[in-house]
């Protein structure tokens, strides 16, 4: 994201010659945040468990959402669209979670039975009657050639 911002800032300044003074002020305000935030984020990411980091991100997201609702003047249409997006996202990701759980259970059951995972075929060596998993090759001749 930083690289994208730098390219955009360069493009607006060098190619379009259209950077306003407030844009420079915003850039200057971001410098201390990045200088402190990037190393701090690296330390937190290295020393905390992934679920702790996820919890921190959830709390910060909720705080930013509440802050946005408090700061941005709300019209009924804007509030309705905002709530609709949140509810729609909740429904979508709940459905994806349920589908993922069902797939995980079916994969676990197949592994317990000793069957190949979905999408993994078996190549059989007829001479020795041994079964080899197909590792993305089209035929057993490719496996033998390697």
């Amino acid at each position: 994201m930083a690289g994208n911002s730098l390219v955009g800032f360069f493009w607006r300044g060098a190619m379009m010659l259209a950077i306003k003074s407030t844009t420079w002020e915003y850039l200057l305000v971001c410098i201390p945040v990045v200088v402190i935030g990037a190393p701090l984020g690296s330390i937190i990411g290295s020393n905390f468990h992934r679920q702790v980091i996820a919890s921190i991100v959830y709390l910060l997201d909720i705080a930013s959402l509440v802050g946005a609702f408090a700061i941005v003047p709300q019209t009924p249409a804007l509030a309705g669209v905002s709530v609709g997006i949140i509810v729609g996202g909740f429904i979508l990701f709940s459905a994806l979670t349920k589908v993922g759980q069902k797939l995980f259970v079916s994969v676990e059951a197949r592994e317990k039975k000793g069957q190949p995972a979905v999408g993994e075929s078996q190549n059989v060596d007829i001479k020795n009657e041994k079964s080899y998993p197909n590792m993305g090759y089209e035929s057993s001749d490719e496996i033998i050639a390697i």
Side-chain angles (χ1 to χ4, degrees):
M1 287 192 318
N4 191 19
S5 297
L6 289 174
V7 169
F9 201 81
F10 170 77
W11 186 264
R12 290 286 289 185
M15 302 299 176
M16 299 176 73
L17 303 172
I19 295 180
K20 296 181 181 178
S21 63
T22 54
T23 307
W24 283 106
E25 292 168 2
Y26 286 143
L27 179 67
L28 293 175
V29 167
C30 292
I31 291 172
V33 174
V34 172
V35 168
I36 294 170
L40 184 63
S42 177
I43 291 169
I44 290 172
S46 299
N47 295 319
F48 287 127
H49 189 270
R50 65 178 181 83
Q51 290 180 332
V52 173
I53 296 170
S55 298
I56 292 170
V57 169
Y58 296 151
L59 290 174
L60 290 174
D61 284 345
I62 290 170
S64 68
L65 179 68
V66 170
F69 277 131
I71 293 171
V72 176
Q74 295 293 313
T75 63
L78 182 60
V81 169
S82 300
V83 170
I85 289 172
I86 293 169
V87 170
F90 181 77
I91 292 169
L92 172 70
F93 287 107
S94 295
L96 287 174
T97 300
K98 292 200 183 292
V99 169
Q101 288 173 342
K102 287 181 181 181
L103 283 173
F104 183 72
V105 168
S106 69
V107 167
E108 264 189 342
R110 289 180 68 92
E111 286 177 354
K112 285 182 182 178
K113 292 179 184 178
Q115 296 175 343
V118 176
E120 182 180 291
S121 63
Q122 294 283 325
N123 284 329
V124 178
D125 186 355
I126 298 173
K127 295 177 189 171
N128 298 327
E129 295 184 14
K130 292 182 181 177
S131 177
Y132 301 100
N134 183 354
M135 303 297 218
Y137 300 104
E138 296 297 322
S139 69
S140 60
D141 295 333
E142 289 180 339
I143 294 174
I144 294 169
I146 293 175

